[in-house]
Amino acid sequence: MTIYADNAATTKLSDTALQAMLPLMQEHYGNPSSLHHIGQKAKEYVEDCRERIAACINASPGEIYFTSGGSEADNQAIQTAAALGAKKNKKHIISSKFEHHAVLHTLEQLEKQGYEITLLDVYKEGVVRVEDVAAAIREDTALVTIMTANNEIGTLQPIEEIGKLCKEKGVLFHTDAVQAVGHIPVDVKAMNCDLLSVSAHKFHGPKGVGFLYCKKGTALQSLIHGGAQERNKRAGTEYTYGIAGMTAALEEAVTNLDKNAAYVSSLRDIIIDGVADIEKSFVNGDLAHRLPGTVNMCFEGIEGESLLLLLDQNGICASSGSACTSGSLDPSHVLLALGVPVAIAHGSLRISLSEYNTKEEAEFIVKAIHQVVPYLRSISPVWERIQKGEVIE
Ligand SMILES: *Cc1c(COP(=O)(O)O)cnc(C)c1O
């Protein structure tokens, strides 16, 4: 038996998405830049997808730029804002401590190039405060970039308010909406954002494709130079079947959004309620403002890696946090930003569910955690010290 509970890392491709991809792989395989009919057919598909995707987030087709995924979209958005800022001698960027590494590492690069970066606190709740953004904005602020939903703990950020503030102050606003799109309503106009990043494989689309929304009038800079694809803003032959799969997956997700959100959050709550009686354990981040499917918990006195391995032996695929940092022994930068002590941050578990999960699976996960946590504690010297009342740092 396999229970896939790592949907924040990636999701299963939906059948609808697969079916939308096959004709572009097998029949309409032309290069959209070719002038012959098979090329033009492929181009028609791509432009149709652009329109349908724009409709899903209340944008115009001309504001959608296809990319290789969320990381590229984040890089392009931030590099664009940095370049536009530099032209006006604005080299200050505001972000938060718990952004995805695609954002944080891009900002680190910019810092080396002379930009000044302010990373806002996210507090114990894992939520950026609008008043902190307001206080951080300066005359020379070029960009505010705050994620819509955090990938490790699932908390939602006050994006509409931050967007409104940035608009009033005349500062560009980017949001990494990779975990949000297809899971909660996303409307670029309501969010007041200038740039927004999306990745298909987080909503049952294929891997290696995503898009950047860039509001009309914002001069997008190119990261990849070459041909004239994507109105000269992103060179490279279009990933036609990826784009088709992403479009089908997004439409499917948006059509079923309310139904899926209600169902998936009921499964998530089975897990939160089911493990609440385990002593010295807690859920990370605000309970009220969160994605339907994601929950991140800490169990004191155990190692997240051992917990994952034992869950895996029970058929359960989960994560200790982000897929990008697992494999390294560094504790999660997200949990540290929340103020979780290093020793406890090592004992974290992220369960991220989707509409493909069942109630029985959620109940099985609860049962497995109830077996595995006490077992690991029974062989843990750290747990022994905790029980003697020692404070572990
Ligand atoms: C997955 C993820 C990304 C990276 O997207 P890719 O398409 O895998 O490059 C960026 N930001 C967040 C919040 C993510 O969850």
Side-chain angles (χ1 to χ4, degrees):
M1 180 199 49
T2 292
I3 297 177
Y4 187 73
D6 198 14
N7 287 277
T10 194
T11 58
K12 169 192 159 110
L13 186 73
S14 86
D15 256 343
T16 315
L18 176 63
Q19 293 310 322
M21 293 170 80
L22 291 173
L24 281 124
M25 292 173 155
Q26 297 172 315
E27 243 181 283
H28 311 299
Y29 46 77
N31 184 325
S33 298
S34 298
L35 292 181
H36 49 67
H37 72 276
I38 196 167
Q40 288 305 297
K41 186 75 190 171
K43 184 182 163 82
E44 256 173 52
Y45 263 100
V46 170
E47 294 315 312
D48 175 60
C49 286
R50 197 184 306 281
E51 271 179 38
R52 288 157 57 195
I53 281 187
C56 289
I57 60 163
N58 195 21
S60 306
E63 296 173 319
I64 305 297
Y65 296 85
F66 295 122
T67 67
S68 65
S71 300
E72 187 187 330
D74 283 342
N75 275 261
Q76 192 170 10
I78 294 168
Q79 300 279 11
T80 290
L84 293 175
K87 283 186 190 160
K88 298 184 199 159
N89 227 358
K90 294 181 173 188
K91 296 184 86 174
H92 174 234
I93 299 175
I94 299 167
S95 188
S96 82
K97 288 182 180 166
F98 78 163
E99 298 295 311
H100 191 273
H101 283 133
V103 168
L104 288 178
H105 290 168
T106 304
L107 294 177
E108 274 173 26
Q109 279 310 112
L110 288 170
E111 197 168 28
K112 286 183 193 147
Q113 295 164 27
Y115 287 80
E116 200 184 322
I117 313 295
T118 301
L119 296 183
L120 300 176
D121 243 321
V122 293
Y123 304 95
K124 191 167 147 283
E125 302 77 44
V127 181
V128 171
R129 294 187 187 166
V130 185
E131 59 265 33
D132 289 353
V133 182
I137 292 178
R138 316 189 308 210
E139 283 294 305
D140 64 340
T141 304
L143 170 72
V144 171
T145 170
I146 303 288
M147 66 202 322
T148 311
N150 182 271
N151 49 303
E152 285 190 37
I153 62 169
T155 50
L156 305 180
Q157 307 305 307
I159 293 304
E160 295 191 8
E161 291 91 326
I162 296 171
K164 188 161 164 268
L165 176 70
C166 291
K167 196 176 173 183
E168 282 163 13
K169 302 272 185 184
V171 177
L172 284 177
F173 177 46
H174 164 248
T175 185
D176 174 336
V178 171
Q179 290 288 332
V181 168
H183 301 278
I184 60 167
V186 168
D187 175 326
V188 292
K189 298 211 168 60
M191 286 168 138
N192 282 304
C193 60
D194 302 287
L195 298 145
L196 175 137
S197 311
V198 181
S199 175
H201 74 99
K202 303 291 174 73
F203 51 78
H204 307 288
K207 292 169 183 58
V209 62
F211 65 90
L212 175 62
Y213 157 81
C214 178
K215 190 176 166 186
K216 192 166 169 272
T218 309
L220 190 62
Q221 311 271 310
S222 184
L223 288 186
I224 299 175
H225 307 288
Q229 292 92 353
E230 300 300 298
R231 284 96 71 212
N232 276 315
K233 302 302 184 196
R234 204 282 184 180
T237 302
E238 295 85 346
Y239 179 25
T240 54
Y241 30 94
I243 292 168
M246 167 165 69
T247 307
L250 183 56
E251 281 183 337
E252 190 179 29
V254 167
T255 306
N256 299 307
L257 195 127
D258 292 343
K259 189 182 77 184
N260 287 345
Y263 173 67
V264 175
S265 53
S266 76
L267 301 185
R268 176 203 66 198
D269 291 343
I270 288 176
I271 292 174
I272 294 179
D273 298 342
V275 303
D277 61 337
I278 298 181
E279 63 175 320
K280 296 216 184 271
S281 72
F282 54 89
V283 173
N284 288 302
D286 191 294
L287 277 174
H289 303 100
R290 59 172 52 246
L291 287 169
T294 304
V295 58
N296 183 308
M297 297 164 281
C298 281
F299 300 95
E300 289 187 37
I302 62 175
E303 287 290 335
E305 272 69 24
S306 327
L307 180 55
L308 284 185
L309 286 176
L310 288 186
L311 289 176
D312 195 28
Q313 282 176 12
N314 282 281
I316 300 166
C317 306
S319 160
S320 58
S322 127
C324 321
T325 42
S326 40
S328 80
L329 283 176
D330 292 339
S332 144
H333 71 288
V334 172
L335 297 184
L336 296 185
L338 260 62
V340 177
V342 175
I344 299 177
H346 275 300
S348 68
L349 172 70
R350 178 183 70 185
I351 303 278
S352 48
L353 304 165
S354 84
E355 61 274 28
Y356 292 91
N357 290 112
T358 64
K359 185 162 173 261
E360 290 67 34
E361 289 180 344
E363 285 163 351
F364 186 86
I365 292 172
V366 170
K367 220 174 84 192
I369 293 174
H370 269 283
Q371 285 167 355
V372 169
V373 169
Y375 167 70
L376 286 172
R377 282 176 170 175
S378 74
I379 57 168
S380 157
V382 176
W383 179 245
E384 208 172 298
R385 287 166 55 202
I386 291 171
Q387 289 212 300
K388 284 185 192 142
E390 276 184 54
V391 178
I392 312 288
E393 288 300 331

